[in-house]
Amino acid sequence: MPRLKYASVVRVVVILGLFCLWLQIMLSASGGGMYRDGEELMNSNDTSEQVLALVPPELHKYLTVHPKNSSVNSTERAVSKNLTEIRKAIQRSNEAQYIYNEDIYGPVQNDTIIIAIQVHTRLTYLRHLIVSLAQARDIERTLLVFSHDYYNEEINSLVRSIDFTKVMQIFYPYSIQTHPNEFPGLDPNDCPRDVKMQQAIKLKCINALHPDLHGHYREAKYTQTKHHWWWKANRIFNQLECTTNHTGMVVFLEEDHYVAEDFIYMLNLLRATADRSCPQCEIISLGTYLKTYQYHANGDKRKKQMTLNYIQQVRMANEERRKRQDTQWNFQVYPNLYGNTQKVDITPWHSSMHNMGFGFNRSVWHNIMEIQEQFCAYDDYNWDYSLLHLSQNRKNQEKFKVIMSKGPRVFHIGECGIHHKKSNCNASSVISKVQKLLQNAKPYLFPGSVTATVTAGGAKHNKKLTKGNGGWGDIRDQELCTNMTRIGREQRRYNYYA
């Protein structure tokens, strides 16, 4: 009998030990890499034959995956011990301000369109964004600025292989990758997110006195996105030598966007329309998150004929379809309602509706700089809501106005990432649907003209932000954000070797 009891005790101890080991592995994964699960699945996706069939053969090179480095995260594990080298490489690159293909396409002019692309680790999406950019008319007249918060040789090789226009890489120098165990990364002495303030004070963790407005403490993986966006904008407008006298448009894209072939044409057309019809329009927006698009002239007349009941029915039907096909990217292009003239709206800028493929020039940036402290002090980890807060608090000025096309030219194809935690992230399926949408709309791209309609915006446009979404209560984040605006113009160093 004692032997049986002893065996039972040993069995229990072994089981508890295995459980503790499993729990430790899971906790370490959640602290360092679980938020990238979707990205790992997405990066492992092969480009389907259906997608390749709609890509010109000469652009297949941008979709080629090299087996030895098929996953960004496998490279991360290989170079995790070389942070010193990564930091030096980032510093060299940022100091050099090297412009690839400048010898072919000429130097940056004061009116050159600059396309700023924020890049993390979603390599598959980035490949398809590059393919879409390569097919855009007049792309050779632009400067692509890829802004990275993750240093990876496969991503670098892809970006540097671009041969259809000028390219620059800039690297956010305060990333989690380069500061894994210290601020702005996760310091071991940082307070746990959900600990109460009284308990945090007892723990004597670093940021105990600075929770956010919801009582939570900072999470580095979320604060990084706002830091990166703000650093990138400051870098382009205030620090690069090639933008010293730049007065043209800067368009903001992300790695999981996809552009239509006439997006540059539409940018110029909307800018010309704004100059004539809306001089106070500061922002141009080329994208939307809606899944029903209008590339036609009579959309507003049709809308006026719709009863409220019909609109509600459409919304209910769309919601039911979304529930049934939660993982699918649905779209619709209104049939038989196209024309050579397309409608655009002039309306108050709203972060969640006009933050994709949007752009502005230096004069707007100067307006932002005048009240930049409101961006950095606002307790919201989202850069776009922070910009909305700034827009709503301009002294003696109206909110930013945006001119936007009802038929979008920039699309969101990201199904995976920080804010998208689907377990079946099929990049090819989404990309294929965007390609088909653009095929359907192809006869109506490059419109001869647009007609603008001024709207006051709905309740969502005009609702005053009373408080942010939190995640930005730590005084260290606010100070880092503010310090980014204090770096002056830097000259290029020509002794850089890629």
Side-chain angles (χ1 to χ4, degrees):
M1 193 69 179
R3 290 181 179 179
L4 292 175
K5 288 184 178 180
Y6 177 76
S8 299
V9 170
V10 170
R11 189 180 299 111
V12 171
V13 170
V14 171
I15 293 173
L16 286 174
L18 290 173
F19 175 76
C20 291
L21 178 62
W22 174 84
L23 186 61
Q24 183 177 5
I25 293 172
M26 294 301 294
L27 288 174
S28 64
S30 65
M34 279 191 70
Y35 78 100
R36 291 192 301 268
D37 280 354
E39 295 166 20
E40 290 181 9
L41 284 168
M42 189 281 304
N43 281 330
S44 66
N45 270 325
D46 293 328
T47 301
S48 69
E49 293 182 4
Q50 189 177 21
V51 171
L52 281 175
L54 296 175
V55 175
E58 64 272 17
L59 300 181
H60 286 190
K61 61 185 178 182
Y62 298 121
L63 302 177
T64 302
V65 177
H66 302 286
K68 290 183 180 180
N69 273 329
S70 60
S71 169
V72 170
N73 295 289
S74 65
T75 305
E76 173 192 0
R77 289 189 287 269
V79 301
S80 60
K81 296 181 180 180
N82 298 318
L83 293 181
T84 300
E85 288 84 355
I86 291 175
R87 288 176 177 176
K88 288 180 179 178
I90 287 174
Q91 182 179 357
R92 286 196 304 268
S93 181
N94 284 344
E95 288 177 349
Q97 303 181 35
Y98 188 79
I99 301 176
Y100 297 91
N101 305 321
E102 187 177 26
D103 56 330
I104 301 173
Y105 299 104
V108 176
Q109 305 296 325
N110 292 342
D111 60 350
T112 296
I113 294 173
I114 296 177
I115 301 171
I117 303 162
Q118 187 154 323
V119 182
H120 184 47
T121 62
R122 292 180 286 178
L123 182 56
T124 296
Y125 292 138
L126 180 61
R127 291 182 184 280
H128 287 280
L129 170 61
I130 290 172
V131 166
S132 70
L133 289 167
Q135 299 176 79
R137 183 190 292 182
D138 294 330
I139 192 66
E140 70 278 1
R141 299 181 182 179
T142 68
L143 170 67
L144 303 183
V145 178
F146 291 84
S147 184
H148 305 265
D149 60 29
Y150 193 91
Y151 190 92
N152 172 265
E153 288 302 340
E154 188 175 7
I155 295 176
N156 292 343
S157 296
L158 172 65
V159 170
R160 294 167 188 173
S161 72
I162 292 172
D163 57 11
F164 51 83
T165 192
K166 296 183 290 293
V167 173
M168 175 185 284
Q169 284 184 288
I170 59 177
F171 292 89
Y172 172 60
Y174 314 111
S175 69
I176 298 173
Q177 182 196 26
T178 55
H179 300 77
N181 301 309
E182 60 180 334
F183 178 86
L186 179 61
D187 192 297
N189 295 317
D190 280 347
C191 299
R193 176 188 182 273
D194 295 321
V195 71
K196 299 299 182 183
M197 186 174 179
Q198 293 81 359
Q199 182 64 23
I201 293 173
K202 291 180 181 178
L203 291 172
K204 297 182 180 180
C205 44
I206 294 175
N207 49 336
L209 298 179
H210 303 288
D212 68 10
L213 58 89
H214 301 295
H216 299 304
Y217 291 96
R218 77 184 298 270
E219 293 180 273
K221 65 184 180 183
Y222 294 120
T223 60
Q224 175 168 271
T225 304
K226 178 174 174 177
H227 278 308
H228 184 183
W229 190 91
W230 187 241
W231 176 86
K232 171 187 63 182
N234 275 275
R235 182 74 177 162
I236 291 172
F237 282 107
N238 294 348
Q239 298 168 20
L240 296 179
E241 182 181 295
C242 68
T243 62
T244 302
N245 299 307
H246 185 261
T247 57
M249 294 293 295
V250 176
V251 180
F252 294 90
L253 298 178
E254 297 180 14
E255 63 187 6
D256 61 348
H257 290 171
Y258 193 98
V259 301
E261 61 182 285
D262 71 337
F263 89 101
I264 296 173
Y265 173 88
M266 284 300 294
L267 178 71
N268 291 326
L269 186 57
L270 292 180
R271 180 71 269 166
T273 302
D275 289 343
R276 292 193 309 269
S277 306
C278 183
Q280 71 275 24
C281 285
E282 297 101 333
I283 297 174
I284 294 175
S285 178
L286 298 170
T288 179
Y289 292 97
L290 299 176
K291 296 296 187 289
T292 303
Y293 309 130
Q294 298 178 2
Y295 293 89
H296 53 79
N298 299 316
D300 284 352
K301 294 179 181 178
R302 176 179 170 85
K303 185 183 291 185
K304 290 177 182 177
Q305 294 169 1
M306 292 181 177
T307 64
L308 180 61
N309 183 53
Y310 176 79
I311 294 174
Q312 290 173 337
Q313 290 177 15
V314 170
R315 288 175 177 168
M316 290 175 62
N318 286 337
E319 179 63 19
E320 287 299 317
R321 189 183 301 113
R322 186 194 66 78
K323 291 178 180 178
R324 291 196 306 269
Q325 301 174 331
D326 186 57
T327 62
Q328 297 186 13
W329 192 94
N330 300 307
F331 66 87
Q332 176 185 358
V333 178
Y334 284 137
N336 305 319
L337 289 172
Y338 302 104
N340 192 45
T341 300
Q342 293 180 21
K343 288 284 187 178
V344 299
D345 276 348
I346 294 172
T347 189
W349 183 82
H350 192 279
S351 55
S352 62
M353 301 179 70
H354 310 124
N355 66 353
M356 181 169 57
F358 82 113
F360 51 81
N361 59 22
R362 183 175 297 279
S363 64
V364 178
W365 178 249
H366 284 160
N367 290 336
I368 293 173
M369 284 290 95
E370 288 176 357
I371 51 175
Q372 53 87 15
E373 67 277 359
Q374 296 195 37
F375 182 95
C376 292
Y378 188 55
D379 190 358
D380 196 312
Y381 69 95
N382 298 288
W383 63 263
D384 52 346
Y385 273 90
S386 301
L387 199 60
L388 177 62
H389 170 75
L390 183 149
S391 171
Q392 292 181 343
N393 289 275
R394 302 166 70 191
K395 292 182 179 180
N396 303 319
Q397 289 182 294
E398 294 183 352
K399 292 171 286 189
F400 287 135
K401 277 191 168 57
V402 61
I403 180 168
M404 61 167 291
S405 173
K406 291 186 176 179
R409 266 59 181 189
V410 177
F411 302 85
H412 181 251
I413 59 175
E415 290 288 294
C416 315
I418 289 180
H419 298 292
H420 306 274
K421 299 185 181 299
K422 296 180 180 178
S423 60
N424 55 342
C425 300
N426 192 334
S428 292
S429 175
V430 178
I431 294 162
S432 175
K433 290 179 180 180
V434 175
Q435 289 175 322
K436 290 177 181 177
L437 182 150
L438 289 172
Q439 269 194 330
N440 293 338
K442 193 176 182 68
Y444 313 103
L445 302 181
F446 301 98
S449 60
V450 295
T451 56
T453 301
V454 180
T455 69
K460 187 173 183 179
H461 288 74
N462 296 300
K463 184 179 180 181
K464 182 88 170 180
L465 291 177
T466 55
K467 61 180 181 180
N469 291 299
W472 198 261
D474 198 311
I475 193 170
R476 294 173 297 172
D477 285 313
Q478 298 174 20
E479 290 176 349
L480 175 60
C481 178
T482 301
N483 289 336
M484 290 177 189
T485 66
R486 296 171 180 168
I487 303 173
R489 189 78 56 183
E490 300 174 359
Q491 291 187 335
R492 295 170 64 177
R493 295 191 181 183
Y494 292 90
N495 59 343
Y496 171 69
Y497 298 95

